[in-house]
Amino acid sequence: MPRRHAAEIRIIGIEGIPEVSPGDDLAGLLASALLGQQLELEDGDILVVTSKIVSKAEGRVIAAADREDAITRETVRLVASRPHPGGVTRIVENRQGLVQAAAGVDASNTPDGTILLLPEDPDASARALCAAVRRASGARVGILVSDTLGRAWREGQIDAAIGAAGVLVIDDLRGSTDTFGQTLSVTQAATGDELASATDLVKGKATGMPVALVRGLERLVVETLDTPARALVRDPANDMFRLGSDEAHAQGFTEGYSRGLADARRGHRASARPSRVRLRRRTR
């Protein structure tokens, strides 16, 4: 049976959310903003919330002077780096499992002299917010936490889902058929990222509007809150682009040198052993 897709969706920017401070009740701020806009949440609605206000509410704010140290602390693995006149750009895998520039440490939309770290666990943040919003509204809604990502081979940035609750972040189409009746074998739509990117057309960095409401995609909203955006992170075993070219070359050189050195040492030990020759007695 073919899947039912929405012929139309609405994306509504949520206005009236004030500057968020550590300890603020995000669910309460959302409820007030929705009320001020005369919007009532319905079953199947999806709220996409920028990670910045989640970080602020969770107190993930530090002094800007600590930026480079913060990037290092948040880094699990260096993917690529490149020097520039102002320093070095580092693309890294951070503690949340995301590959981002500067580990997601951001100086935009935060007061002068401060920078923001990503939420400690964006999926946990999304689950807590989703549970609170569902209790307050009585509606089966979903929550996405979004953040800005660059992309290999493409200029510019997009927003992607880094936290999720109650929303299917992957629409697995494998096993279904296309319009010609051919079975799809690899197609998995990254619906979490598609939603985050689409709502950024309303939210954006310069609008002062950190939340958007998506209406019309009820099929993606489920009862369980356990729909982690972490599922969008590619498994290392299947990642063909795990390192930047310079880093891959350096790693290959190091591993090749170590292997060659080990082989040379084994060869030296073998040549240093006394040879044992068995002499056979000649018989007449």
Side-chain angles (χ1 to χ4, degrees):
M1 182 176 180
R3 293 173 182 245
R4 182 173 58 86
H5 287 272
E8 177 181 289
I9 65 171
R10 291 182 65 198
I11 300 176
I12 307 166
I14 304 304
E15 302 173 330
I17 295 176
E19 179 62 28
V20 176
S21 301
D24 279 352
D25 174 16
L26 280 185
L29 294 178
L30 284 172
S32 296
L34 288 164
L35 182 63
Q37 220 164 316
Q38 297 184 335
L39 285 170
E40 186 172 343
L41 291 176
E42 302 172 0
D43 286 346
D45 282 350
I46 300 169
L47 288 167
V48 183
V49 181
T50 183
S51 64
K52 290 177 179 59
I53 64 171
V54 177
S55 292
K56 289 177 181 178
E58 294 180 355
R60 300 278 286 165
V61 185
I62 64 172
D66 298 330
R67 183 176 186 271
E68 292 304 316
D69 287 341
I71 294 171
T72 300
R73 288 195 303 271
E74 295 294 304
T75 295
V76 171
R77 176 177 61 88
L78 177 68
V79 175
S81 63
R82 179 167 294 182
H84 57 81
V88 177
T89 295
R90 285 184 279 173
I91 308 297
V92 306
E93 177 186 345
N94 61 22
R95 293 190 293 109
Q96 292 82 358
L98 303 165
V99 174
Q100 290 182 289
V105 177
D106 197 355
S108 64
N109 287 301
T110 187
D112 287 343
T114 65
I115 55 175
L116 294 174
L117 308 181
L118 291 178
E120 283 273 5
D121 184 340
D123 283 320
S125 301
R127 288 193 298 271
L129 182 57
C130 192
V133 171
R134 286 185 177 189
R135 283 195 303 270
S137 66
R140 191 185 74 255
V141 300
I143 295 286
L144 290 177
V145 177
S146 68
D147 195 58
T148 303
L149 293 181
R151 301 159 298 155
W153 309 303
R154 307 284 286 182
E155 292 290 348
Q157 295 81 35
I158 62 169
D159 255 30
I162 67 168
V167 184
L168 298 178
V169 295
I170 296 177
D171 191 8
D172 193 345
L173 301 177
R174 292 173 298 180
S176 62
T177 56
D178 63 16
T179 54
F180 291 93
Q182 300 175 19
T183 301
L184 301 175
S185 58
V186 297
T187 303
Q188 299 181 78
T191 47
D193 286 347
E194 290 176 331
L195 282 164
S197 188
T199 56
D200 197 48
L201 295 171
V202 172
K203 295 190 286 100
K205 283 184 176 290
T207 62
M209 195 179 299
V211 181
L213 168 66
V214 180
R215 183 163 285 172
L217 288 173
E218 297 87 351
R219 67 185 181 84
L220 297 180
V221 180
V222 293
E223 193 65 38
T224 179
L225 301 183
D226 188 20
T227 57
R230 189 68 181 250
L232 288 162
V233 177
R234 192 182 296 276
D235 185 271
N238 300 321
D239 190 352
M240 296 175 64
F241 316 105
R242 189 160 172 78
L243 289 175
S245 57
D246 289 346
E247 288 69 26
H249 180 272
Q251 179 176 305
F253 179 85
T254 300
E255 291 176 356
Y257 180 81
S258 299
R259 189 175 298 116
L261 189 60
D263 289 345
R265 285 172 176 167
R266 281 196 296 270
H268 176 74
R269 286 195 297 269
S271 64
R273 294 178 191 148
S275 59
R276 297 178 181 178
V277 179
R278 294 185 62 188
L279 298 177
R280 297 181 61 187
R281 183 180 296 177
R282 293 178 64 187
T283 58
R284 296 179 182 231

